[in-house]
């Protein structure tokens, strides 16, 4: 039985390596997307408003692209993690029923597979019931996921506040137009305005990156 678990873990690792080297993976990697987003924002800003606008739009372009990539990565990791746990439970059920458990996992973060491999070695050495060990791994992993989901939900308010604060400068610009001045011209074409715009962007980036660290997606820590 433990041999089947070792095969299960090896198949999971091999399939993860295949996914990491698939042709579609590099096209959506941060190393390719973020420079393109920065360049696009910089060119657009330079054409519309000069060097300050180029810096601001390049930064916002990178932030937006990074947010999309992170969301996609976390969603993929969470789905793979759930599939890995489901298949681990299926292996345990097959073992209890005396059926061959020859299936492998297609993808996943890998921690569950490593624990299953360790459980197989432990069962070989001590004669411990392997199905019990696998079910315990699954139960502990699902409990950890519930804790992470609860923590992420509690941090959602702080992250929403950070995004709201990051958007407040737009309200200030609108207010400036409302009282009859041109705040964009001041921000983009005067030394004081340009310095204020750059400082505001730096503070926004710092606040958003800090807010990112408040939440952990289930499966992300696996």
């Amino acid at each position: 039985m433990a041999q089947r678990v070792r095969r299960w873990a090896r198949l999971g690792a091999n399939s993860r390596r295949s996914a990491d080297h698939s042709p579609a993976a590099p096209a959506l990697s941060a190393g390719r997307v973020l420079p393109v987003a920065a360049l696009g924002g910089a060119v657009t800003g330079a054409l519309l408003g000069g060097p300050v606008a180029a810096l601001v739009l390049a930064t916002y372009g990178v932030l937006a692209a990074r947010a999309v990539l992170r969301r996609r990565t976390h969603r993929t990791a969470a789905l793979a993690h759930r599939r890995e746990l489901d298949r681990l439970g299926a292996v345990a059920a097959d073992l209890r029923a005396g059926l061959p458990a020859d299936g492998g996992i297609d993808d996943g973060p890998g921690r569950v597979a490593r624990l299953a491999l360790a459980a197989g070695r432990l069962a070989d050495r001590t004669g411990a019931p392997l199905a019990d060990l696998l079910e315990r791994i699954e139960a502990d992993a699902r409990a950890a996921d519930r804790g992470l989901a609860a923590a992420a939900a509690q941090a959602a308010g702080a992250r929403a506040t950070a995004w709201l604060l990051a958007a407040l400068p737009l309200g200030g610009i609108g207010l400036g137009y409302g009282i009859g001045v041109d705040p964009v011209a001041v921000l983009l074409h005067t030394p004081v305005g340009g310095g204020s715009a750059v400082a505001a962007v730096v503070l926004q980036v710092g606040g958003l990156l800090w807010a990112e660290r408040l939440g952990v997606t289930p499966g992300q820590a696996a």
Side-chain angles (χ1 to χ4, degrees):
M1 294 299 181
Q3 294 291 336
R4 297 189 180 107
V5 174
R6 282 192 284 272
R7 181 175 180 271
W8 179 84
R10 285 196 301 271
L11 286 173
N14 291 338
S15 61
R16 284 191 298 276
R17 285 193 293 269
S18 298
D20 290 341
H21 294 88
S22 63
L28 295 176
S29 66
R32 290 170 178 254
V33 174
L34 296 186
V36 170
L39 179 60
V43 171
T44 302
L47 293 176
L48 294 178
V52 175
L55 176 62
V56 171
L57 291 185
T59 303
Y60 287 157
V62 170
L63 283 178
R66 185 173 179 272
V68 171
L69 287 175
R70 280 176 58 87
R71 183 177 180 84
R72 177 181 177 272
T73 300
H74 290 173
R75 185 171 59 246
T76 301
L79 178 60
H81 182 65
R82 289 194 297 270
R83 286 177 176 172
E84 197 169 37
L85 290 179
D86 290 341
R87 287 169 182 166
L88 180 63
V91 170
D94 286 346
L95 292 174
R96 284 197 179 280
L99 299 175
D102 293 328
I105 54 175
D106 295 328
D107 49 23
R111 179 174 176 266
V112 172
R114 291 194 299 271
L115 290 174
L117 185 60
R121 289 196 296 265
L122 180 63
D124 277 344
R125 293 174 184 173
T126 66
L130 182 55
D132 289 347
L133 296 176
L134 297 182
E135 288 175 350
R136 182 60 182 269
I137 292 171
E138 180 191 8
D140 287 349
R142 291 190 188 278
D145 287 349
R146 288 192 293 270
L148 290 174
Q154 292 176 1
R159 293 196 303 273
T161 301
W163 281 103
L164 178 62
L165 291 174
L168 279 181
L170 296 178
I173 291 174
L175 181 61
Y177 280 115
I179 62 176
V181 299
D182 187 356
V184 173
V186 174
L187 290 172
L188 299 184
H189 303 296
T190 66
V192 173
S196 299
V198 172
V201 169
V202 170
L203 291 174
Q204 285 178 329
V205 171
L208 292 174
L209 292 179
W210 173 78
E212 265 185 9
R213 299 179 63 85
L214 294 178
V216 181
T217 304
Q220 185 180 345

